[in-house]
Amino acid sequence: MDVIRVDDPADPRLADYTRLRDVNLRRHLEVEHGLFMAEGDKVIRRAATAGYIPRSFLLTERRARALDDVVAGSGAPLYVVDEETAERLVGFDLHRGALAAFHRKPLPAPAEVLEGARSIVVLEDLVDHTNVGAIFRSAAGLGVDAVVLAPRCADPLYRRSVKVSMGSVFTLPHVRLDDWYGGPDALRGAGFHLMALTPGRNSVPLRRAMAELDPGAKVGLMLGSEGDGLSPRWLERADARVHIPMAARDVDSLNVTAAAAVACYELTLRGGQPR
Amino acid sequence: MDVIRVDDPADPRLADYTRLRDVNLRRHLEVEHGLFMAEGDKVIRRAATAGYIPRSFLLTERRARALDDVVAGSGAPLYVVDEETAERLVGFDLHRGALAAFHRKPLPAPAEVLEGARSIVVLEDLVDHTNVGAIFRSAAGLGVDAVVLAPRCADPLYRRSVKVSMGSVFTLPHVRLDDWYGGPDALRGAGFHLMALTPGRNSVPLRRAMAELDPGAKVGLMLGSEGDGLSPRWLERADARVHIPMAARDVDSLNVTAAAAVACYELTLRGGQPR
């Protein structure tokens, strides 16, 4: 096992861990170098278990042995730093934390993932990494088979998404569309009945829409961005528009992660009888 | 209308706005002075509409007129500062933002709120203000009548809660129990059938539990803390334990805000047929 003590936060071997809170910097760095970050023992273990290849691990001295089981046999170096070096490097107090950099894998082609899927979630232009991670956790927990991302949807492998998802982003397959305009039609072509979640009028209550589905239907649940919801184009190309009935006069919709949880729950039960 | 330009972030008239990101400082300051902060035009308007009395408003120069309709007639001063003063005062870039300090109102006695309520959410020891705010938004939107807080649950009127709730904390009534140990029994004494949400074994699937309720039942949905869930004491004193069925092997539960949204949704529909 390759344990390396480093004192200089500018050491190039630690470059993967630079300024983790600088979203713009990190987006470029991670995409260009084909890496992502995992944070916390549990999430790091899940990434490794899911078959991602570690590039390196970063721990503070007092927790230097915390990941021995993962580090051993990974072939990747373990960098151990004092707390001050850690903070200057990553930009926050690592304290009892643990970090690892992993290699990304090429995303599967949509057809490969969609063929066996019965229920999918389709995210249009969500910009918030926390929301994307939370939706992965709910979708995975509630039994959705895959997530399809529009070209501009935020990266599920960004550190915040990974963390909030509790590692669900590693196990719930996801694919990215390369064509926004034709995206819904491509999914319909793959056999999916597209249900667009929208607070707008001219939509059917979620439970009724689910109960009226053909039992064997392949369903794609479409969710739009945090502020504006789905684009007119995607709304127009959906097979059905559905809403979660709101009771309060002063609340016009749930936030997108709450709406996603409710809709994935109904999608799993398909509006069915209590079980 | 009382418009006052202030250049010194240490000016005592701005003391309500000191270091808004310092959670420990703010907790003391806000409770001792009986105030809370609202952030953003929409949320500030909602606080005023809900009958809260403003203490003051804080805007940057370029947006000095943004709240004229609320400020006028409120009797409270509007402080206008430049962006640098704002940042040194509150601790972040106020930019296009707006802040207001409001007086708290005494919370109603539990009996007053519980008497007319048919569906309530009962939060045990949630520590995260964002989660509390998100649960208020979902509960309000889905038609829950009130929220009951255990003695140690995080403050719904803390700035982050208020913001994430989109102001639902002003309109959805809430009360705080003064006795944690006897809390569930007090609610049962007030006629509520208590359903404890828990991922644990020995619990009934949520939809089935809801479908088996008496149609006229008053229901209290109990939710526990982010990490550990409900305490053994509260679980033991509930009338029923319910869970949201999980499909994935590696996800043992939803996060508490997703679980709350799903459970409030079922609570509103009472496991009923599609509508």
Side-chain angles (χ1 to χ4, degrees):
Chain A
M1 208 166 70
D2 209 4
V3 183
I4 302 162
R5 293 194 184 259
V6 185
D7 296 324
D8 178 5
D11 188 306
R13 293 172 297 178
L14 303 184
D16 283 359
Y17 300 92
T18 303
R19 288 166 36 208
L20 289 178
R21 288 209 172 137
D22 184 335
V23 179
N24 288 328
L25 170 84
R26 296 298 311 183
R27 267 202 287 239
H28 291 292
L29 186 154
E30 296 184 10
V31 170
E32 283 165 12
H33 294 266
L35 68 94
F36 70 88
M37 303 301 303
E39 189 175 4
D41 303 5
K42 193 184 270 187
V43 166
I44 290 170
R45 285 199 173 82
R46 286 187 173 164
T49 304
Y52 286 95
I53 310 292
R55 293 159 63 98
S56 66
F57 302 87
L58 182 76
L59 292 168
T60 54
E61 276 154 1
R62 78 166 83 169
R63 302 205 65 232
R65 317 301 307 261
L67 289 172
D68 276 6
D69 55 317
V70 190
V71 177
S74 75
L78 163 60
Y79 298 114
V80 175
V81 295
D82 62 33
E83 298 199 7
E84 196 198 321
T85 305
E87 181 153 4
R88 287 171 59 203
L89 172 65
V90 305
F92 54 86
D93 179 6
L94 195 58
H95 192 53
R96 293 188 51 77
L99 288 167
F102 283 87
H103 293 281
R104 289 182 185 242
K105 299 191 274 200
L107 286 182
E112 202 179 308
V113 164
L114 295 177
E115 198 185 343
R118 182 164 174 258
S119 300
I120 61 172
V121 165
V122 190
L123 303 180
E124 199 182 7
D125 292 349
L126 277 80
V127 299
D128 185 297
H129 292 111
T130 302
N131 288 341
V132 170
I135 292 172
F136 268 77
R137 179 171 170 187
S138 292
L142 292 164
V144 165
D145 298 316
V147 176
V148 176
L149 310 171
R152 284 191 304 233
C153 183
D155 177 13
L157 291 184
Y158 191 75
R159 181 177 59 98
R160 277 294 297 167
S161 307
V162 168
K163 187 174 181 181
V164 170
S165 84
M166 305 273 282
S168 299
V169 293
F170 306 137
T171 47
L172 178 61
H174 68 274
V175 297
R176 193 177 285 275
L177 300 170
D178 54 15
D179 172 22
W180 166 78
Y181 189 82
D185 288 341
L187 294 170
R188 292 167 71 193
F192 285 89
H193 177 76
L194 295 184
M195 304 178 91
L197 199 66
T198 170
R201 293 168 219 279
N202 304 320
S203 64
V204 179
L206 176 66
R207 182 164 293 182
R208 194 168 84 205
M210 290 292 177
E212 288 169 355
L213 284 172
D214 280 346
K218 289 161 72 92
V219 177
L221 183 71
M222 293 162 61
L223 293 160
S225 74
E226 290 87 357
D228 299 327
L230 289 160
S231 65
R233 168 75 191 171
W234 276 39
L235 274 176
E236 176 205 312
R237 303 308 298 164
D239 296 291
R241 299 180 190 199
V242 300
H243 71 269
I244 298 169
M246 289 290 104
R249 310 109 332 249
D250 60 332
V251 182
D252 59 2
S253 66
L254 299 182
N255 79 37
V256 69
T257 61
V262 168
C264 289
Y265 173 75
E266 276 290 11
L267 182 56
T268 307
L269 296 180
R270 302 263 169 147
Q273 293 305 306
R275 58 176 193 181
Chain B
M1 210 165 71
D2 207 6
V3 182
I4 303 163
R5 294 196 183 259
V6 183
D7 295 325
D8 177 7
D11 188 307
R13 292 172 297 178
L14 303 184
D16 282 359
Y17 300 93
T18 303
R19 287 162 43 203
L20 289 178
R21 287 207 172 139
D22 183 335
V23 179
N24 288 327
L25 170 84
R26 296 299 310 183
R27 267 203 286 241
H28 290 294
L29 186 155
E30 296 184 8
V31 169
E32 284 165 11
H33 294 266
L35 66 94
F36 70 87
M37 303 301 304
E39 190 174 4
D41 302 5
K42 193 183 269 188
V43 166
I44 290 170
R45 284 199 174 82
R46 287 188 172 165
T49 303
Y52 285 95
I53 310 293
R55 293 160 62 97
S56 67
F57 302 88
L58 182 77
L59 292 168
T60 54
E61 276 153 3
R62 79 164 81 168
R63 303 204 66 231
R65 313 305 306 260
L67 289 173
D68 277 5
D69 55 317
V70 191
V71 177
S74 76
L78 163 60
Y79 298 114
V80 174
V81 295
D82 62 32
E83 298 200 7
E84 195 197 322
T85 305
E87 181 153 3
R88 286 172 59 205
L89 172 64
V90 304
F92 55 84
D93 180 5
L94 194 57
H95 193 50
R96 294 190 48 77
L99 288 167
F102 284 86
H103 292 282
R104 289 181 185 242
K105 299 192 274 200
L107 286 183
E112 202 179 309
V113 164
L114 295 178
E115 198 186 342
R118 183 164 173 257
S119 301
I120 61 173
V121 166
V122 190
L123 303 181
E124 199 181 6
D125 291 349
L126 278 80
V127 298
D128 185 297
H129 292 111
T130 302
N131 288 341
V132 170
I135 292 173
F136 268 77
R137 179 172 171 188
S138 292
L142 292 164
V144 166
D145 298 315
V147 176
V148 175
L149 309 171
R152 284 191 303 233
C153 183
D155 178 13
L157 291 184
Y158 191 75
R159 180 177 60 98
R160 278 293 298 166
S161 307
V162 168
K163 186 174 181 179
V164 170
S165 84
M166 306 273 281
S168 298
V169 292
F170 307 137
T171 48
L172 178 61
H174 67 275
V175 296
R176 192 177 285 275
L177 300 169
D178 54 14
D179 172 23
W180 165 78
Y181 190 80
D185 288 341
L187 294 170
R188 292 168 71 194
F192 286 89
H193 177 77
L194 295 184
M195 304 178 91
L197 200 66
T198 170
R201 293 169 220 280
N202 303 319
S203 65
V204 179
L206 176 67
R207 181 163 294 183
R208 195 169 83 205
M210 290 291 177
E212 290 170 355
L213 283 173
D214 279 345
K218 289 159 74 88
V219 177
L221 184 72
M222 292 162 61
L223 293 160
S225 74
E226 291 86 357
D228 298 327
L230 287 161
S231 65
R233 168 75 192 172
W234 276 39
L235 275 175
E236 176 204 312
R237 302 308 298 163
D239 296 293
R241 300 180 189 200
V242 300
H243 71 268
I244 298 168
M246 290 291 102
R249 309 107 336 247
D250 61 332
V251 182
D252 59 3
S253 66
L254 300 182
N255 79 37
V256 69
T257 61
V262 168
C264 289
Y265 173 76
E266 277 290 12
L267 182 56
T268 307
L269 296 181
R270 303 262 169 147
Q273 293 305 304
R275 58 177 193 182

